[in-house]
Amino acid sequence: MTGTVRMILGAAAMVLLAGGASAADKVVMGTNWLAQGGHGGFYQAVADGTYERYGLDVEIMMGGPQMNNRPMLAAGRLDFLMAGNLLLSFDNVRNDIPTVVVAAFFQKDPQIIMTHKGRYKDFADVTNAKTVLISKDGQFSFWKWMVKAHGFRDEQLKPYGYNLAQFLSDGDIAQQGYGTAEPIYAAAEGAEVDVFLLADQGWSTYSTTLETRRELVETNPDLVQRFVNATIEGWYNFIYGDRSAAYALIMADNPDMTVEKLDKEMDQFAALGIIDVGDALELGIGAMTDARITKFHELTVASGILDAGAVDLSLVADTRFVNNGHGLDVKARLTGN
């Protein structure tokens, strides 16, 4: 398999649904970057047949530097999209793009600020760094919040080009990163780092959200529910069960990945407390609440990221497909708790 992972059911394959036997529904789901551990729940649900059991014939269309899947959802070429954080969904609503969030698989955004080990005593001390490397996208999003809420200053700001060379050459530099990526890359270069997860400092967005078109929610909510439920189970099986088959599919799509890299990535997810934490512990993986979405929107307005009144929050998310504890029995079976 190259570029795309497909789960193809035979023409005679049938599944027993509530209304009787019927053929599997074809679903195309796009990711937002090259295949990696952070996409594992989707790949797991393909690899272990969970989607098939829910009557779904699922194709995962991998994103990446040469494949921007985001516009393909609104255009109807994708049925679901693994998105980044709520800012993207706010932007869709602001621009009248008819998509909606139906699940949030990461309770915390893995966005971090990374410094050399022991150089700064805590996050507040990082405001004393002469240079903070932030990407262009970051400058117009979480950096504004860092300035407003934590006292960082624009004169510290320098562009981050997704290369560790500048950071590795200067022990005083702080830089942005993804909690399951840059710290691992730095360690491979012999650099010990401190990691400050922005979510732990108040950056309250959900991450790895699942978007679909509003039209699909309105016309086929059963399909949306089945896809969400199967993906939730995929995440539980990936986190707590045997993920070797999912690893194989990830590595088939992205040959740069190895079992060692994937294991390190998953160790970071656990160490940072990204997925099965917070509301997910009681409501199930995928949980999201209107109250928290509202609170994050208020943060973006207060930080100058968005203008007040620019986003109709009633159009951002539909929480009916999550928050019902689905998959907690799978977790209990796998963990014995």
Side-chain angles (χ1 to χ4, degrees):
M1 285 177 227
T2 59
T4 297
V5 171
R6 295 181 59 88
M7 181 181 71
I8 303 177
L9 305 181
M14 307 292 282
V15 293
L16 187 62
L17 302 176
S22 69
D25 293 307
K26 179 62 185 292
V27 170
V28 183
M29 196 282 296
T31 68
N32 60 3
W33 199 247
L34 300 174
Q36 55 194 269
H39 306 171
F42 302 100
Y43 282 91
Q44 181 75 30
V46 172
D48 66 13
T50 300
Y51 285 135
E52 181 179 357
R53 291 196 301 275
Y54 276 85
L56 302 171
D57 170 5
V58 174
E59 174 184 347
I60 298 179
M61 186 173 293
M62 184 175 67
Q66 307 303 323
M67 176 60 73
N68 179 11
N69 280 335
R70 190 156 192 81
M72 297 176 67
L73 177 63
R77 295 179 63 187
L78 297 176
D79 300 298
F80 296 93
L81 176 69
M82 189 197 86
N85 60 46
L86 288 173
L87 285 177
L88 300 173
S89 303
F90 291 162
D91 197 54
N92 277 3
V93 172
R94 189 168 58 89
N95 290 290
D96 296 320
I97 298 173
T99 61
V100 62
V101 180
V102 292
F105 294 110
F106 291 3
Q107 290 294 301
K108 294 181 180 180
D109 190 344
Q111 190 69 58
I112 63 167
I113 295 297
M114 182 173 75
T115 63
H116 288 267
K117 187 75 171 178
R119 176 61 185 84
Y120 301 99
K121 64 182 179 181
D122 53 24
F123 187 65
D125 194 27
V126 184
T127 61
N128 295 312
K130 181 178 179 181
T131 299
V132 183
L133 304 178
I134 303 291
S135 68
K136 184 176 180 180
D137 286 344
Q139 293 171 28
F140 292 98
S141 58
F142 59 84
W143 175 256
K144 289 190 171 185
W145 163 78
M146 289 169 62
V147 170
K148 181 70 173 181
H150 290 280
F152 285 84
R153 306 172 310 282
D154 283 336
E155 53 264 33
Q156 297 173 276
L157 182 64
K158 295 290 187 296
Y160 175 47
Y162 297 95
N163 185 306
L164 288 181
Q166 192 173 357
F167 175 81
L168 294 172
S169 68
D170 187 338
D172 292 335
I173 282 180
Q175 72 156 63
Q176 77 169 70
Y178 201 73
T180 58
E182 275 82 355
I184 295 173
Y185 306 154
E189 297 294 330
E192 292 187 86
V193 300
D194 286 322
V195 170
F196 300 100
L197 189 69
L198 295 188
D200 291 341
Q201 312 301 326
W203 182 247
S204 56
T205 182
Y206 294 113
S207 184
T208 302
T209 57
L210 182 69
E211 293 182 347
T212 190
R213 293 183 304 282
R214 290 187 206 132
E215 171 268 332
L216 188 60
V217 167
E218 293 165 0
T219 62
N220 201 345
D222 173 70
L223 184 145
V224 176
Q225 188 69 75
R226 283 185 285 132
F227 186 80
V228 170
N229 284 354
T231 306
I232 289 170
E233 292 182 28
W235 275 109
Y236 279 118
N237 284 315
F238 186 70
I239 295 170
Y240 298 111
D242 179 1
R243 48 184 180 245
S244 57
Y247 274 13
L249 293 184
I250 291 170
M251 291 185 292
D253 260 8
N254 182 5
D256 287 338
M257 280 294 165
T258 65
V259 170
E260 181 183 17
K261 288 179 179 179
L262 289 165
D263 279 344
K264 287 181 178 179
E265 187 180 350
M266 295 313 298
D267 287 345
Q268 280 291 98
F269 275 119
L272 294 172
I274 298 294
I275 304 173
D276 193 14
V277 297
D279 287 340
L281 295 175
E282 293 187 3
L283 302 179
I285 286 176
M288 59 180 182
T289 66
D290 291 329
R292 182 166 161 190
I293 293 170
T294 298
K295 182 178 179 181
F296 180 66
H297 177 258
E298 291 170 351
L299 177 154
T300 65
V301 171
S303 302
I305 300 169
L306 292 173
D307 293 330
V311 178
D312 182 350
L313 290 183
S314 70
L315 300 177
V316 172
D318 189 331
T319 63
R320 79 177 103 161
F321 302 102
V322 291
N323 302 338
N324 56 15
H326 187 81
L328 291 177
D329 59 331
V330 177
K331 177 183 176 180
R333 172 173 52 80
L334 292 170
T335 65
N337 297 320

